[in-house]
Structure formats: C-alpha cells, structure tokens
Amino acid sequence: MDPFNQLILTISVTSFFTFQWLFHKVSPWTSTRISPGFLSLSDKQKVEWNSRTVSTFHALLVGIFCLYILFFDDAVNEDPVWGDPTLVKINVGITTGYLISDLLLIFYYWKAIGDKFFVVHHLAALYAYYYVLGEGMLPYFANFRLLAEFSTPCVNQRWFYEVLGYSKSSRPNMANGVAMAVVFFLVRIAVMPVYYIRMYGVYGTEAFYLVPWGGRVAWICSSICLDIMNIMWMQKIARGCYKVLRSARQSKAGRPQENGKTD
C-alpha cells in the first residue's frame, strides 16, 4: 500500500472513532447544557438525538469541504472522471468512516434508530465510494453528490423541534421548514442539470470507457435512482411547507375577526 492510500485509510479509521466519540460522549454532554429538554427524552429518543447531532456535524464538515473542492480544485473540475482525486479522497474518506460508524450504531440500537432504508443507502454509498478510494475514478461526481449533505441539518432540526414539543406553526419550526425546502431544492434539485450535463459531456469518451462496468453502474444507476427519490422527497417537503405556511396565514387572518366580534 502506497503512503497516500495509507493516509486515506488512517483518515477513514480516525473518522470512524471520532464519530463514535461524538455520539457517545460529546453529543450527550453538549446537549444537556444547550437544550434542557434533552434530559426529559426517553432513552430511544436520546439515541436518535445523538445520532442526528453527529449527522449534522458530518454534513456541515463534508459539505464545506465539498464546496471548496468544487470551486478551487482545478484538476477535478477539468477532468471529472480521472482528475487528481487527492482532496476528494480525503473528503470521501471522512464520509466512509462516518457511514461505517453510523451503520454500527444502527445495528446496535436497532430498536431506536433501525431503518432498512438507511442500511441500503449506506451500503450503496460505500460500494460507490470504493471506486473513488480504491481506483481513484469519478472524483468530480462523487464530490458533487456530497453537496446534498447541506440539506441534512435542516431535516435533523425539524426532528429536534418535534421531539422538544414545538408546534408546527411556531416561528422557529416555520423558519426551519422554509429553510429546509429552499436548501433541499438548491442542493438536490436545482443542481441536477449541472450534474447531468457534465455526465453527458464525458459519456462515450475514452475516459468513460476506461471506467469498468461496476463503476458505471455505481455512477449512473445510483445517480438516477437517488434523483428520483430526491424529486419525490422534494414534492413532500414542498407540500408540507405550503400547508404549514397556509395554516399560519389563515390563523393570523382569523385573529382580527375574532377580536372584532361584539355581543
């Protein structure tokens, strides 16, 4: 194993243990001091709370790194299939450690956070990342997919508000709902044309045919499946956001009428 691959392996292992530490130690300690409501949660809710806290931290970390690569890594942007994957490997290595850590927690705390969909999602992602970490191919597309992580904090925050007893019409919940819809649209829907234009641009080229069949399946099929799900999720998020905003608007409009009634 060459020194760089040893470094990536070290990053992935370090990432795994770091996220385990964040889940078991940092999140409970921090949450009890930031949110007093954490102490009143059930054991299952505390497990999911800590899992989502770690998820939010991971999403922000790799999301920011992803943006840096998209804007400043010329090698990857110029050759999206075989460009120098150094920075992308580091970012994917961090995510690989997180995914393995999260899989372990899902299996161990299955009654609290067990979800077959997340197991399939994590395993599919790890399969795709093998081609990035092991073969150094498709760095641009692997990194681009990590943009979607920016929607994770808002999704987790919605759960935090719900478990803490915030009503759907409360200002913090409504603000987060709007932010979630906007961010989800920007990082998962609006970027689709950019992604598929780059994919179409390399389709049929020599660089494309150098990618083995397994890599093409992990790249193209998974991209299409994920984006179909993203569109479905976007529809649900948009409908939910619209219902909450309409309900809040109607309740505000009804108050003056109630106050204006006379006996």
Side-chain angles (χ1 to χ4, degrees), residues 35-78:
S35 179
F38 175 79
L39 295 174
S40 63
L41 300 179
S42 67
D43 290 340
K44 288 184 178 181
Q45 288 174 326
K46 287 179 180 178
V47 169
E48 185 163 359
W49 178 291
N50 293 329
S51 175
R52 288 180 179 272
T53 300
V54 174
S55 169
T56 295
F57 176 79
H58 163 261
L60 292 174
L61 176 63
V62 301
I64 292 171
F65 201 3
C66 168
L67 282 180
Y68 174 83
I69 294 171
L70 283 176
F71 285 116
F72 300 108
D73 194 333
D74 294 334
V76 168
N77 288 310
E78 290 174 3

Coordinates of all heavy atoms in Angstrom, one line a residue, residues 35-78:
S35 N -29.6 22.3 25.5 CA -31.1 22.1 25.5 C -31.5 21.3 26.7 O -31.4 20.1 26.8 CB -31.5 21.3 24.2 OG -32.8 21.1 24.2
P36 N -32.1 22.0 27.7 CA -32.6 21.3 28.9 C -33.6 20.2 28.6 O -33.7 19.2 29.4 CB -33.2 22.4 29.8 CG -32.5 23.6 29.3 CD -32.3 23.4 27.8
G37 N -34.3 20.3 27.6 CA -35.3 19.3 27.2 C -34.7 18.0 26.9 O -35.5 17.0 26.9
F38 N -33.4 17.9 26.6 CA -32.8 16.6 26.3 C -32.9 15.6 27.4 O -33.1 14.4 27.2 CB -31.3 16.9 26.0 CG -30.5 15.6 25.8 CD1 -30.5 15.0 24.5 CD2 -29.7 15.1 26.8 CE1 -29.8 13.8 24.3 CE2 -28.9 14.0 26.5 CZ -29.0 13.3 25.3
L39 N -32.9 16.1 28.7 CA -32.9 15.3 29.8 C -34.3 14.6 30.0 O -34.4 13.5 30.6 CB -32.6 16.0 31.1 CG -31.1 16.6 31.2 CD1 -31.0 17.5 32.4 CD2 -30.1 15.4 31.2
S40 N -35.3 15.2 29.5 CA -36.7 14.6 29.6 C -37.0 13.6 28.5 O -38.1 13.0 28.5 CB -37.7 15.7 29.6 OG -37.7 16.4 28.4
L41 N -36.1 13.4 27.6 CA -36.4 12.5 26.5 C -36.2 11.1 27.0 O -35.5 10.8 27.9 CB -35.4 12.7 25.3 CG -35.4 14.1 24.7 CD1 -34.3 14.2 23.6 CD2 -36.7 14.5 24.1
S42 N -36.9 10.1 26.2 CA -36.8 8.7 26.5 C -35.4 8.2 26.1 O -34.7 8.9 25.3 CB -37.9 7.9 25.8 OG -37.7 8.0 24.4
D43 N -35.0 7.1 26.5 CA -33.7 6.5 26.1 C -33.6 6.4 24.5 O -32.6 6.7 23.9 CB -33.5 5.2 26.7 CG -33.2 5.3 28.2 OD1 -32.9 6.4 28.7 OD2 -33.4 4.3 28.9
K44 N -34.7 5.9 23.9 CA -34.7 5.8 22.5 C -34.6 7.1 21.8 O -33.8 7.3 20.8 CB -36.0 5.1 22.0 CG -36.0 3.6 22.3 CD -37.3 3.0 21.8 CE -37.3 1.5 22.0 NZ -38.6 0.8 21.5
Q45 N -35.2 8.1 22.3 CA -35.2 9.5 21.7 C -33.8 10.1 21.9 O -33.3 10.8 21.0 CB -36.2 10.4 22.4 CG -37.6 10.1 22.0 CD -38.6 10.9 22.7 OE1 -38.4 11.3 23.9 NE2 -39.7 11.3 22.1
K46 N -33.1 9.8 23.0 CA -31.8 10.3 23.2 C -30.8 9.6 22.2 O -29.9 10.3 21.7 CB -31.3 10.0 24.7 CG -32.0 10.9 25.7 CD -31.5 10.5 27.1 CE -32.2 11.4 28.2 NZ -31.8 11.0 29.5
V47 N -31.0 8.4 21.9 CA -30.1 7.7 20.9 C -30.3 8.4 19.6 O -29.3 8.7 18.9 CB -30.5 6.2 20.8 CG1 -29.9 5.6 19.6 CG2 -30.1 5.4 22.1
E48 N -31.5 8.6 19.2 CA -31.8 9.3 17.9 C -31.3 10.7 17.9 O -30.7 11.2 16.9 CB -33.2 9.2 17.5 CG -33.5 9.8 16.1 CD -34.8 9.4 15.5 OE1 -35.6 8.7 16.2 OE2 -35.1 9.8 14.4
W49 N -31.4 11.4 19.0 CA -30.9 12.8 19.2 C -29.4 12.8 18.9 O -28.9 13.6 18.1 CB -31.3 13.3 20.6 CG -30.8 14.7 20.9 CD1 -29.5 15.1 21.0 CD2 -31.6 15.8 21.1 NE1 -29.4 16.4 21.3 CE2 -30.7 16.9 21.3 CE3 -32.9 16.1 21.1 CZ2 -31.1 18.2 21.6 CZ3 -33.4 17.4 21.3 CH2 -32.5 18.4 21.6
N50 N -28.7 11.9 19.6 CA -27.2 11.9 19.4 C -26.8 11.5 18.0 O -25.9 12.0 17.5 CB -26.6 10.9 20.4 CG -26.8 11.4 21.9 OD1 -26.8 12.6 22.2 ND2 -26.9 10.4 22.8
S51 N -27.6 10.6 17.4 CA -27.3 10.2 16.1 C -27.5 11.3 15.1 O -26.7 11.5 14.2 CB -28.2 9.0 15.7 OG -28.1 8.7 14.3
R52 N -28.5 12.1 15.3 CA -28.8 13.2 14.4 C -27.8 14.4 14.6 O -27.5 15.1 13.7 CB -30.2 13.7 14.6 CG -31.3 12.7 14.0 CD -32.7 13.2 14.2 NE -33.7 12.3 13.6 CZ -34.1 12.4 12.4 NH1 -33.6 13.3 11.5 NH2 -35.0 11.5 11.9
T53 N -27.4 14.5 15.9 CA -26.4 15.6 16.2 C -25.1 15.3 15.4 O -24.5 16.1 14.8 CB -26.1 15.6 17.7 OG1 -27.3 15.9 18.4 CG2 -25.0 16.7 18.0
V54 N -24.7 14.0 15.5 CA -23.5 13.6 14.8 C -23.7 13.7 13.2 O -22.8 14.2 12.5 CB -23.1 12.1 15.1 CG1 -21.9 11.6 14.3 CG2 -22.7 12.0 16.6
S55 N -24.8 13.4 12.8 CA -25.2 13.5 11.4 C -25.1 15.0 10.9 O -24.5 15.2 9.8 CB -26.6 13.0 11.1 OG -27.1 13.3 9.8
T56 N -25.5 15.9 11.7 CA -25.5 17.3 11.4 C -24.0 17.8 11.3 O -23.6 18.5 10.3 CB -26.2 18.1 12.4 OG1 -27.6 17.8 12.3 CG2 -26.0 19.6 12.1
F57 N -23.2 17.4 12.2 CA -21.8 17.7 12.2 C -21.1 17.2 11.0 O -20.3 17.9 10.3 CB -21.1 17.2 13.5 CG -19.6 17.5 13.5 CD1 -19.1 18.7 13.9 CD2 -18.7 16.5 13.2 CE1 -17.8 19.0 13.9 CE2 -17.3 16.7 13.2 CZ -16.9 18.0 13.6
H58 N -21.3 15.9 10.7 CA -20.7 15.4 9.5 C -21.2 16.1 8.2 O -20.4 16.4 7.3 CB -21.1 13.9 9.4 CG -20.9 13.3 8.0 ND1 -21.9 13.2 7.1 CD2 -19.8 12.8 7.4 CE1 -21.4 12.6 6.0 NE2 -20.1 12.4 6.1
A59 N -22.5 16.4 8.1 CA -23.0 17.1 6.9 C -22.3 18.4 6.7 O -21.9 18.8 5.6 CB -24.5 17.2 7.1
L60 N -22.2 19.2 7.8 CA -21.5 20.5 7.6 C -20.1 20.4 7.3 O -19.5 21.1 6.4 CB -21.7 21.3 8.9 CG -23.1 21.7 9.3 CD1 -23.2 22.4 10.6 CD2 -23.7 22.7 8.2
L61 N -19.4 19.4 7.9 CA -17.9 19.3 7.6 C -17.7 18.9 6.2 O -16.9 19.6 5.5 CB -17.4 18.2 8.6 CG -15.9 17.8 8.4 CD1 -15.0 19.0 8.7 CD2 -15.6 16.6 9.3
V62 N -18.3 17.8 5.7 CA -18.0 17.4 4.3 C -18.6 18.3 3.3 O -18.1 18.4 2.2 CB -18.5 15.9 4.1 CG1 -17.8 15.0 5.1 CG2 -20.0 15.8 4.2
G63 N -19.8 19.0 3.7 CA -20.4 19.9 2.8 C -19.5 21.1 2.5 O -19.4 21.5 1.3
I64 N -18.9 21.6 3.5 CA -18.0 22.8 3.3 C -16.8 22.4 2.5 O -16.3 23.1 1.6 CB -17.6 23.4 4.7 CG1 -18.8 24.0 5.3 CG2 -16.5 24.4 4.5 CD1 -18.6 24.4 6.8
F65 N -16.2 21.2 2.8 CA -15.1 20.7 2.1 C -15.4 20.5 0.6 O -14.6 20.7 -0.3 CB -14.6 19.4 2.7 CG -13.2 19.0 2.4 CD1 -12.4 19.8 1.6 CD2 -12.6 17.8 2.9 CE1 -11.1 19.5 1.3 CE2 -11.3 17.4 2.6 CZ -10.5 18.3 1.8
C66 N -16.7 20.0 0.4 CA -17.1 19.7 -1.0 C -17.2 21.0 -1.8 O -16.8 21.0 -2.9 CB -18.5 19.1 -0.9 SG -19.4 19.0 -2.4
L67 N -17.7 22.1 -1.2 CA -17.8 23.4 -1.9 C -16.4 23.9 -2.2 O -16.1 24.4 -3.3 CB -18.5 24.4 -1.0 CG -20.0 24.3 -0.9 CD1 -20.5 25.4 0.0 CD2 -20.6 24.5 -2.3
Y68 N -15.4 23.7 -1.3 CA -14.0 24.1 -1.6 C -13.5 23.4 -2.8 O -12.9 24.0 -3.7 CB -13.2 23.9 -0.4 CG -11.7 24.2 -0.6 CD1 -11.2 25.5 -0.5 CD2 -10.8 23.1 -1.0 CE1 -9.9 25.7 -0.8 CE2 -9.5 23.4 -1.3 CZ -9.0 24.7 -1.1 OH -7.7 25.0 -1.4
I69 N -13.7 22.1 -2.9 CA -13.2 21.3 -4.0 C -13.9 21.8 -5.3 O -13.2 21.9 -6.3 CB -13.5 19.8 -3.7 CG1 -12.6 19.3 -2.5 CG2 -13.1 19.0 -5.0 CD1 -13.0 17.9 -2.1
L70 N -15.2 22.0 -5.3 CA -15.9 22.4 -6.5 C -15.4 23.7 -7.0 O -15.3 23.9 -8.2 CB -17.4 22.5 -6.2 CG -18.2 21.1 -6.1 CD1 -19.6 21.4 -5.8 CD2 -18.1 20.4 -7.5
F71 N -15.0 24.6 -6.1 CA -14.6 26.0 -6.6 C -13.1 26.1 -6.8 O -12.7 26.9 -7.7 CB -15.0 27.0 -5.5 CG -16.5 27.3 -5.5 CD1 -17.3 27.0 -4.4 CD2 -17.1 27.9 -6.6 CE1 -18.6 27.3 -4.4 CE2 -18.5 28.2 -6.6 CZ -19.2 27.9 -5.5
F72 N -12.3 25.3 -6.1 CA -10.9 25.5 -6.2 C -10.0 24.4 -6.7 O -8.8 24.5 -6.9 CB -10.4 26.0 -4.8 CG -11.0 27.2 -4.3 CD1 -11.9 27.2 -3.3 CD2 -10.7 28.5 -4.9 CE1 -12.6 28.4 -2.8 CE2 -11.3 29.6 -4.5 CZ -12.3 29.6 -3.4
D73 N -10.6 23.2 -6.8 CA -9.8 22.0 -7.3 C -9.9 21.9 -8.8 O -10.7 21.3 -9.4 CB -10.3 20.7 -6.6 CG -9.3 19.6 -6.8 OD1 -8.6 19.6 -7.8 OD2 -9.3 18.7 -6.0
D74 N -8.9 22.6 -9.5 CA -8.9 22.7 -10.9 C -8.8 21.3 -11.6 O -9.4 21.0 -12.6 CB -7.8 23.6 -11.4 CG -8.1 25.0 -11.0 OD1 -9.3 25.4 -10.8 OD2 -7.1 25.8 -10.9
A75 N -8.0 20.4 -11.0 CA -7.7 19.1 -11.6 C -9.0 18.3 -11.7 O -9.2 17.7 -12.7 CB -6.7 18.4 -10.8
V76 N -9.8 18.3 -10.6 CA -11.0 17.5 -10.7 C -12.1 18.2 -11.6 O -12.8 17.5 -12.3 CB -11.6 17.4 -9.2 CG1 -13.0 16.9 -9.2 CG2 -10.7 16.5 -8.4
N77 N -12.1 19.5 -11.6 CA -13.1 20.2 -12.4 C -12.8 20.0 -13.9 O -13.7 20.0 -14.8 CB -13.2 21.6 -12.1 CG -13.9 21.8 -10.7 OD1 -15.0 21.3 -10.5 ND2 -13.3 22.6 -9.8
E78 N -11.5 20.0 -14.3 CA -11.1 19.9 -15.7 C -11.3 18.4 -16.2 O -11.6 18.2 -17.4 CB -9.7 20.3 -15.8 CG -9.5 21.8 -15.6 CD -8.0 22.3 -15.7 OE1 -7.2 21.4 -15.9 OE2 -7.8 23.5 -15.5

